[in-house]
Amino acid sequence: MSDYLLFAILPYVALALFFVVSITRYRKNAFVFSSLSSQFLENKQHFWSTVPFHYGLIGVLIIHLIGLLIPDTLLWWNSVPARLVVLELTGLALALIGIVGLGMAMMRRLNVRTVAVVTTTSDWVILVMTMVQMLLGVLVAVNHGWGSSWFASSASPYLWSIFSLDPNIAYVAAMPLLVKLHIINAWLIIAYFPFTRLLHVLVAPFPYLWRKRQVVLWNDNRKTKRIP
Amino acid sequence: MRGYGEIPVFTNTSLIVPILLLAGASSAMAQDAAEAQAFFDSNCVACHTIGGGRLVGPDLHGVNTRQTREWLIDFMVDPAKVLASGDAYAQEILAASNQVPMPQLPGLDAAMAGALLDLIAEKSGTPIAAGPVEEAVPFTAADVFLGEELFVGSQAFMHGSPACISCHNVDGVGGFFGGGNLGPDLTEVFTTLNGRRPLTAWLGSPASDTMKPIFADAKMTDGEINALVAFFDAQVNGESAADRAAVAGTASASFFYSGLAFAVLILLVFAFLWRNRYTATRTPMVEASKR
């Protein structure tokens, strides 16, 4: 029964909140639809938090997405043990640098006064939730290895059963506790997502990746005025 | 529900069934019997026969006479609970099954358990036919080879079942880190599941909670099962069993440390790639502003 609640009801509550609140907030107050930058307030620790965190998290998310969208291709890739190990080690390493980055981000928000001032409660909640999720992911990867393969054959059909409005919890009901916690926390993050700085994911300026270069010119005499 | 609790158990069904048929009361029961048969075929045959001999679990021929109906239903509905209670007969069954406990099966409630017991009672009415024992074709080296390929995934299953190595380890197979460990280690599964025939039956309809939903739509073919059983047999009885690598099991710790080393490497690459960050514009500007 509790399995049904956590793996069949919670997902729909989470998805409903995600879509309804995101859309409502965007329509009512598009300016909150971002994350408050703290880059100008502190710049040295910032690099070692944001860069490893984003590369790590996005990399791991892409691997999850591949398992969800093209599970057969993933299983084909994994059909040679050496390739499976390469993928698993890449995922684990990305998760670990993500954790390093997130840990740095948390320390920075605690220790740098200027950043602490602009940090809200929801920032802390989502930081902790994300940290828990990444630690659980690493524990799953290490304790129940080769998840890239069993994700494709167990988690993927479960998620599709949710998306096709015909939830089948049999795939996950028998999973070990760590895996279950990882799934439950994922739904909780999706539910809480629209109330947090994570909203910036939905409005990420992807065109920056392919827009033309911009050349920045200074009109003042840099030789005498700016450069020591 | 279906009220099987109130229906007395008839052991002599050869007499009773025609009477019920005449009375025209059989349609509901026939439907339940068909349901029970379907349930039995997709859930129970992995470990049990009715009169065909022991597989992983006991032969169910005449099981109605071994325990009270109440005990049997309790056990079928929640085997773990009865086992945990320390029940002597349950422990006896567990020991006879190489400590492989009966799983709790989704959909097996008291009503279905009753219907199954009726079905078993009906089938137990006919004496066991002492037919000719089927001569098993000995495994070949090709079977073992194909089995290993199926296990690691280099040979795909015909109906798309995932490779065993995703969740299972067999010592010395699948490279340095070995197989997965979501499911149990299968190095000695040939012995644990009681040999060729039970293991073959088990793979024909995997009964564990995790495998069941996956393999319901992706059954392995008889040829694939035969190859896998040959492979598992070779792990225990083959030549490779003796000189198996000393490093056994899934190497979780070395996997973690390898990942950690990889992570440090990535961070070093970041430090190198971005070694000149801000030196073109920002640092000089900040320095200049301080003067």
Side-chain angles (χ1 to χ4, degrees):
Chain A
M1 188 59 218
S2 67
D3 275 348
Y4 194 78
L5 201 66
L6 291 167
F7 299 114
I9 308 284
L10 175 64
Y12 291 112
V13 174
L15 290 170
L17 277 172
F18 177 86
F19 284 109
V20 173
V21 179
S22 296
I23 293 169
T24 315
R25 287 191 80 183
Y26 191 74
R27 288 170 60 98
K28 283 201 170 157
N29 191 355
F31 287 111
V32 304
F33 228 80
S34 184
S35 51
L36 189 58
S37 173
S38 61
Q39 188 179 6
F40 286 107
L41 304 174
E42 190 282 326
N43 201 224
K44 293 226 156 57
Q45 292 180 38
H46 183 254
F47 175 84
W48 286 111
S49 64
T50 191
V51 173
F53 170 71
H54 281 97
Y55 274 93
L57 186 72
I58 291 171
V60 168
L61 281 178
I62 287 174
I63 298 178
H64 280 72
L65 212 57
I66 291 173
L68 177 67
L69 296 178
I70 42 172
D72 293 340
T73 311
L74 187 61
L75 288 174
W76 165 81
W77 171 267
N78 282 350
S79 64
V80 176
R83 295 203 301 230
L84 165 76
V85 169
V86 166
L87 180 67
E88 287 281 329
L89 279 177
T90 307
L92 177 61
L94 287 170
L96 289 173
I97 66 165
I99 287 172
V100 168
L102 195 57
M104 287 292 292
M106 291 169 97
M107 275 162 54
R108 179 170 170 268
R109 284 194 180 272
L110 268 181
N111 298 331
V112 179
R113 202 180 51 82
T114 47
V115 181
V117 168
V118 297
T119 302
T120 63
T121 312
S122 82
D123 289 343
W124 273 115
V125 175
I126 203 66
L127 275 170
V128 171
M129 285 173 97
T130 313
M131 180 58 107
V132 167
Q133 186 68 349
M134 296 182 88
L135 289 173
L136 281 170
V138 166
L139 285 174
V140 168
V142 172
N143 288 302
H144 307 295
W146 303 176
S148 57
S149 277
W150 56 255
F151 182 100
S153 44
S154 279
S156 188
Y158 160 69
L159 289 170
W160 281 113
S161 82
I162 297 286
F163 298 147
S164 57
L165 306 182
D166 182 21
N168 181 354
I169 64 166
Y171 290 105
V172 291
M175 284 284 168
L177 183 65
L178 282 172
V179 181
K180 283 184 165 183
L181 290 175
H182 190 69
I183 298 172
I184 295 166
N185 198 44
W187 290 124
L188 291 177
I189 288 176
I190 289 172
Y192 193 50
F193 182 102
F195 301 97
T196 68
R197 60 192 290 114
L198 284 186
L199 279 176
H200 77 276
V201 175
L202 301 180
V203 288
F206 290 115
Y208 275 38
L209 294 172
W210 56 82
R211 69 158 195 210
K212 285 183 180 165
R213 286 182 177 207
Q214 291 177 344
V215 180
V216 180
L217 297 173
W218 273 268
N219 287 324
D220 49 355
N221 185 340
R222 304 181 76 196
K223 278 217 161 73
T224 58
K225 208 172 167 190
R226 289 288 187 186
I227 308 293
Chain B
M1 297 268 290
R2 274 169 288 204
Y4 266 97
E6 291 111 54
I7 294 181
V9 187
F10 302 108
T11 44
N12 189 356
T13 46
S14 56
L15 177 67
I16 294 304
V17 168
I19 293 173
L20 283 175
L21 278 170
L22 284 173
S26 67
S27 65
M29 192 165 176
Q31 194 193 340
D32 286 338
E35 250 179 65
Q37 182 70 58
F39 188 91
F40 191 90
D41 289 343
S42 60
N43 292 277
C44 314
V45 293
C47 299
H48 300 286
T49 68
I50 306 173
R54 156 175 279 281
L55 297 175
V56 178
D59 186 340
L60 298 177
H61 190 271
V63 72
N64 306 51
T65 59
R66 288 178 223 161
Q67 272 291 347
T68 63
R69 188 179 175 86
E70 196 186 13
W71 189 96
L72 290 167
I73 290 178
D74 281 349
F75 185 79
M76 291 160 81
V77 171
D78 195 348
K81 196 173 145 196
V82 180
L83 281 165
S85 75
D87 183 276
Y89 187 67
Q91 300 299 332
E92 198 183 304
I93 304 175
L94 182 65
S97 311
N98 285 335
Q99 304 295 325
V100 178
M102 171 156 154
Q104 186 169 17
L105 295 160
L108 182 46
D109 53 13
M112 178 55 81
L116 284 168
L117 285 175
D118 291 340
L119 177 83
I120 295 165
E122 188 193 323
K123 302 226 166 184
S124 301
T126 48
I128 304 168
V133 178
E134 221 174 289
E135 195 72 26
V137 184
F139 295 129
T140 63
D143 290 336
V144 178
F145 183 74
L146 175 62
E148 177 159 354
E149 287 205 311
L150 289 165
F151 184 87
V152 299
S154 49
Q155 169 73 47
F157 285 97
M158 184 184 282
H159 298 306
S161 340
C164 319
I165 201 169
S166 312
C167 301
H168 300 286
N169 178 62
V170 159
D171 288 352
V173 175
F176 176 69
F177 294 112
N181 50 5
L182 187 70
D185 189 305
L186 297 183
T187 309
E188 296 185 353
V189 72
F190 191 84
T191 314
T192 318
L193 286 200
N194 212 14
R196 180 168 180 172
R197 200 165 144 262
L199 183 55
T200 306
W202 201 94
L203 288 171
S205 171
S208 76
D209 290 347
T210 325
M211 289 178 77
K212 206 173 161 48
I214 301 172
F215 286 82
D217 301 325
K219 288 211 176 301
M220 293 175 273
T221 66
D222 290 348
E224 288 165 348
I225 292 173
N226 184 61
L228 281 174
V229 175
F231 167 68
F232 290 132
D233 174 40
Q235 302 311 309
V236 185
N237 302 319
E239 291 164 13
S240 65
D243 55 21
R244 186 172 290 130
V247 184
T250 313
S252 294
S254 46
F255 172 65
F256 176 74
Y257 290 123
S258 306
L260 198 61
F262 194 3
V264 172
L265 186 70
I266 295 176
L267 292 177
L268 287 173
V269 170
F270 283 173
F272 177 75
L273 286 178
W274 275 286
R275 66 194 178 284
N276 288 330
R277 68 183 183 279
Y278 310 132
T279 52
T281 315
R282 182 186 284 222
T283 313
M285 286 174 79
V286 170
E287 292 302 317
S289 73
K290 285 179 182 166
R291 285 188 296 142

